[in-house]
Amino acid sequence: MTALIEELDPQRRAVELPSPAPSRRRRRAGTSSGPARRTPGDWVVLVVAILLGFFIAVPFLLILVNSFKSPADYNTSGPLTLPTELYFDGIVKFWERVDFPEKLWNSVFISGLVAVFAVLISMFNAFALGIGRVKGRLWIVVVILLANMLPQEVLLYPLYFMFKEVGLYDSQWAVIIIFTVIQSAFGTYLLASVYSTFPKELLEAASLDGASRWQILWRVVYPISRPTLSVLLIFFFIWTWNEFLIPLTFLVSNSTQTVPVAITVLQGDRLMDVTTTSASALLGLIPTLVFFLIFQRTLTRGITAGAVK
């Protein structure tokens, strides 16, 4: 009888012993999946981020509020109060005075072509420098970087003289060519460093399969680097849209001006009050905001893919 009890007792212990294990697993799972405790450094970073976001958002909120105020309402209550009634005459006045659809098309046309051309040239240059390994690659990249660091004020007179001689002054193509070169210099420097770390096994496998250089670029390199190219395309578009000095210098005619130039020229004529100026700034901001919201997911995916790689 005692032997039978001793024989059954390990079985009973074997049945009873696993019971605490789920509780330990639950405790471990609760510990791993539960909310992590924030350190004081995390709270400091969070507070700083909130403050920065607030200071960045304040100018946009002031533009939005004052765009729908009448001049009398602005003079009475100041810029920090909400409008007593919605006033759309400032937006309508600016829209009609500068022919805003024409200026909007000019900005979209210039920024879109610059973004596309600059990305293509950057990809070709980076493929030659990063994968093709041309002679003097390091010095070429250094020269491109130094040229990209030159201020635009230094380039104004040489570019003015050159485009005046070839008959492209007061033409949108002059601005497109200038910004394509400027943006592609930065894109070449960035992509060359990315392509220099490209997996050689893929390139060797494509070469063994009989692929030419052109086929390797479009069937191997381009699909893998497409997220990075998408990020460059978005940045080039926004950067070119916000440019002011070179378009102001080379686009003299009213029919060729971009949105930032039209806003500034009209302000210089002293024909606009504060509310109309706010309305013009709002109209100039909305297209880039819409563009960013449309391609926000593409931008996030491109940055995430670059970080993972």
Side-chain angles (χ1 to χ4, degrees), residues 2-191:
T2 305
L4 181 61
I5 292 175
E6 291 177 354
E7 183 180 355
L8 293 176
D9 186 63
Q11 296 179 0
R12 185 177 60 192
R13 288 199 301 268
V15 174
E16 294 176 354
L17 284 176
S19 58
S23 63
R24 287 198 298 269
R25 284 197 300 269
R26 281 196 298 269
R27 286 198 300 269
R28 291 175 183 174
T31 303
S32 61
S33 62
R37 293 182 179 179
R38 295 186 181 274
T39 62
D42 295 335
W43 287 109
V44 171
V45 172
L46 181 61
V47 171
V48 171
I50 293 174
L51 290 176
L52 288 177
F54 173 77
F55 285 117
I56 292 174
V58 165
F60 298 105
L61 293 176
L62 290 178
I63 291 174
L64 181 63
V65 169
N66 293 304
S67 297
F68 298 98
K69 279 185 181 180
S70 64
D73 191 5
Y74 180 86
N75 294 330
T76 303
S77 58
L80 300 179
T81 59
L82 294 176
T84 55
E85 60 179 359
L86 294 180
Y87 179 81
F88 296 96
D89 289 353
I91 297 177
V92 175
K93 189 187 302 182
F94 174 75
W95 184 286
E96 296 176 349
R97 187 175 295 175
V98 302
D99 193 3
F100 185 76
E102 181 184 54
K103 304 304 181 291
L104 179 63
W105 164 249
N106 292 338
S107 293
V108 172
F109 177 73
I110 294 174
S111 302
L113 288 184
V114 167
V116 174
F117 291 160
V119 168
L120 288 176
I121 295 175
S122 300
M123 183 177 63
F124 292 149
N125 293 341
F127 181 78
L129 295 173
I131 295 178
R133 298 290 181 177
V134 298
K135 293 183 179 180
R137 168 185 173 274
L138 179 60
W139 290 105
I140 295 175
V141 173
V142 170
V143 170
I144 292 175
L145 178 61
L146 292 177
N148 192 51
M149 296 172 62
L150 289 175
Q152 294 184 2
E153 293 79 3
V154 178
L155 304 174
L156 280 181
Y157 180 74
L159 292 175
Y160 170 81
F161 180 78
M162 181 178 65
F163 285 107
K164 196 78 171 179
E165 289 294 323
V166 299
L168 286 179
Y169 183 70
D170 196 17
S171 172
Q172 295 176 353
W173 286 104
V175 179
I176 291 172
I177 294 172
I178 293 172
F179 284 127
T180 297
V181 174
I182 293 175
Q183 309 290 21
S184 62
F186 173 79
T188 299
Y189 171 75
L190 178 65
L191 286 178

Side-chain angles (χ1 to χ4, degrees), residues 191-264:
L191 286 178
S193 60
V194 174
Y195 285 175
S196 61
T197 61
F198 203 84
K200 296 181 179 179
E201 294 78 7
L202 294 177
L203 304 177
E204 293 174 355
S207 299
L208 291 176
D209 289 340
S212 62
R213 290 277 184 173
W214 185 259
Q215 291 173 335
I216 291 175
L217 173 62
W218 288 109
R219 296 185 180 181
V220 179
V221 177
Y222 168 72
I224 296 178
S225 60
R226 186 164 53 186
T228 305
L229 297 176
S230 301
V231 173
L232 283 179
L233 182 72
I234 296 172
F235 281 153
F236 288 165
F237 184 92
I238 296 177
W239 291 346
T240 306
W241 181 285
N242 293 328
E243 287 291 343
F244 170 73
L245 181 60
I246 289 180
L248 178 65
T249 305
F250 287 89
L251 302 178
V252 181
S253 300
N254 185 45
S255 60
T256 60
Q257 292 175 351
T258 59
V259 172
V261 175
I263 294 174
T264 306

